Amino acid sequence: MPDTPTAPVLLGNRPGSFPHSVLAERHPAVIEQVREAFPYEPAQHRALDALLANCTEGVIEPLPAHAQDRRRWDDWGLRAYTGRSWFDVPWLWSESWFYRRLLDAVGWFGPGPWQGIDPFRPFKLAELDSAATGEELAALDDLTGRSPEDRARALLHGSLWGNRADLGFRLSAQGARDADAVPGLVADDSDRLWSLLGPAGAGTGTLCLVADNAGRELVPDLLLIAHLLAEGRIGRAVLHVKPYPYYVSDATTADVVDALRRLTGAGGAAAAFGRLLWTALADGRLALRAHPFSSAPLPYEEMPGDLRAEFAAATLTIVKGDLNYRRLVGDRLWAPTTPFADVTGYFPGPVAALRTLKSDVITGLDARTEAALDAAEGRRWRTGGTHALIQVA
């Protein structure tokens, strides 16, 4: 994708911009939240202090020689960016680098007693075990008497809205008739999405779903997969998660297991979904992937050949969430009317994006929708998480 004046790569060096606020304000806040979440030892507190100073005032430093992923990060741009301010390199790269260094600071990579301890786990479990999650799972019981079309629509909207999944469930449970019943849906290719999957009882293809967040956002993704398997719309699903804790709440294999346990222990329809998924993992109808590139600071246009081949073989790849959307279309300030198909033309197979808007990156809107959003909200609609889209190419 050429770096044209109309689509510059997003950097964090402009005060007042959303990327700058993430680097200057959100990352320091994440450090303090992680520090308070565990009884870390003095060495870890010193490392967190050093990271706080480095990410706000320092420059990018190389990984130590013993780091097992040093060569990979060098290939991903570390050699080129060493010595530069965190604010002067691509925002996507800088964000990813922050989480890599945060894991270093808390001892996640080891060796030592804190090796493999997810620094974000308390936040993920608190959300998964919340009363709100329980209410959303109970709402599934109301869908059992609905038509397959209504159930499918509800579960798709649940996956789309993530932690607003209760809205999607309850709208359909009350007989919502069309996508307009979901507030803030600024682009809706859901009919095209369904057309790419097999008819009920006849689907033999593979669905790849690139997960975003854990907890209350991962649960609806799993429910959508369970529904598609149960209805025979697909023969197999592959769920792509992160290989290590990332962006606070991004899903890992451990988070999938936690979510399945939450489902199976919930009772009712939720438990039935959970048991289906548990069995599907055991018999191969559901598989997990944690490819290293899932945590790369790069757009999917630069994906390696093995990942490209997997997506090429899929009937459909669903890319979930804001960060994955940025990686799918390129983390650039596109004109919102830039066609989604144009910026995803490199993708090796059919691809759908399900995303709530939480950053400045947006493509595929019609001019009237963009104008109405700007008139009503200024630029806030891009980052507030109150609007969403379903796009297919």
Side-chain angles (χ1 to χ4, degrees):
M1 300 175 190
D3 192 359
T4 67
T6 56
V9 172
L10 283 168
L11 306 177
N13 58 6
R14 183 167 62 85
S17 67
F18 185 69
H20 186 276
S21 71
V22 169
L23 300 180
E25 301 168 19
R26 182 181 298 178
H27 286 176
V30 169
I31 290 174
E32 295 310 309
Q33 290 168 353
V34 166
R35 189 196 303 271
E36 295 172 4
F38 283 96
Y40 286 127
E41 300 175 48
Q44 290 157 306
H45 284 283
R46 289 193 295 271
L48 289 170
D49 288 340
L51 175 61
L52 178 60
N54 182 243
C55 74
T56 54
E57 301 174 1
V59 298
I60 294 164
E61 301 172 351
L63 287 172
H66 64 267
Q68 62 181 7
D69 57 349
R70 179 175 178 172
R71 180 177 297 178
R72 180 178 295 143
W73 274 93
D74 282 347
D75 291 342
W76 286 346
L78 179 56
R79 279 181 295 193
Y81 296 146
T82 294
R84 296 175 62 178
S85 166
W86 292 59
F87 293 82
D88 291 336
V89 303
W91 179 43
L92 175 64
W93 198 97
S94 191
E95 280 192 290
S96 297
W97 181 239
F98 170 78
Y99 288 100
R100 171 60 181 81
R101 296 313 302 254
L102 181 62
L103 292 183
D104 250 346
V106 299
W108 191 89
F109 291 103
W114 294 91
Q115 184 173 4
I117 301 299
D118 184 347
F120 312 123
R121 184 169 172 77
F123 317 130
K124 295 173 179 178
L125 289 180
E127 184 179 272
L128 191 61
D129 295 336
S130 68
T133 300
E135 293 174 4
E136 290 162 7
L137 295 180
L140 287 169
D141 293 337
D142 296 333
L143 293 181
T144 55
R146 307 293 301 178
S147 69
E149 293 77 14
D150 278 352
R151 291 198 302 271
R153 183 184 303 113
L155 294 170
L156 179 65
H157 289 166
S159 180
L160 168 66
W161 286 105
N163 62 9
R164 293 175 62 191
D166 57 331
L167 177 64
F169 294 154
R170 290 169 187 164
L171 280 171
S172 283
Q174 293 165 8
R177 288 178 293 276
D178 54 47
D180 291 337
V182 179
L185 195 58
V186 298
D188 183 10
D189 291 341
S190 54
D191 287 344
R192 296 182 64 194
L193 185 153
W194 293 121
S195 72
L196 289 167
L197 301 173
T204 58
T206 296
L207 170 73
C208 286
L209 193 151
V210 181
D212 185 32
N213 292 327
R216 288 174 65 196
E217 297 195 34
L218 179 59
V219 166
D221 296 342
L222 291 170
L223 295 173
L224 177 62
I225 289 172
H227 173 79
L228 295 175
L229 288 171
E231 293 292 316
R233 300 293 298 267
I234 57 174
R236 183 170 176 267
V238 180
L239 180 63
H240 287 256
V241 296
K242 300 298 189 294
Y244 52 73
Y246 191 63
Y247 276 73
V248 180
S249 57
D250 279 27
T252 65
T253 298
D255 299 318
V256 174
V257 175
D258 287 337
L260 289 177
R261 287 178 173 152
R262 181 71 172 91
L263 284 172
T264 55
F273 278 122
R275 289 191 296 270
L276 185 155
L277 292 165
W278 198 283
T279 300
L281 274 169
D283 64 26
R285 287 176 296 144
L286 173 60
L288 301 181
R289 295 283 186 273
H291 196 286
F293 192 78
S294 294
S295 295
L298 303 172
Y300 268 100
E301 188 176 26
E302 299 182 38
M303 75 180 87
D306 61 336
L307 193 57
R308 178 176 293 274
E310 184 161 352
F311 290 148
T315 302
L316 174 66
T317 297
I318 294 178
V319 175
K320 275 297 309 295
D322 193 79
L323 172 61
N324 288 326
Y325 186 88
R326 289 165 55 194
R327 296 186 68 199
L328 178 65
V329 305
D331 202 34
R332 298 172 178 269
L333 195 58
W334 297 107
T337 54
T338 303
F340 177 71
D342 286 1
V343 295
T344 57
Y346 69 89
F347 205 82
V351 62
L354 303 186
R355 176 223 183 182
T356 53
L357 277 56
K358 299 177 183 176
S359 71
D360 290 309
V361 179
I362 182 69
T363 68
L365 297 192
D366 63 60
R368 291 179 60 186
T369 299
E370 180 193 4
L373 289 166
D374 285 341
E377 303 179 34
R379 293 184 66 88
R380 293 190 305 275
W381 63 270
R382 296 170 176 251
T383 59
T386 57
H387 297 279
L389 55 80
I390 302 171
Q391 292 175 324
V392 176

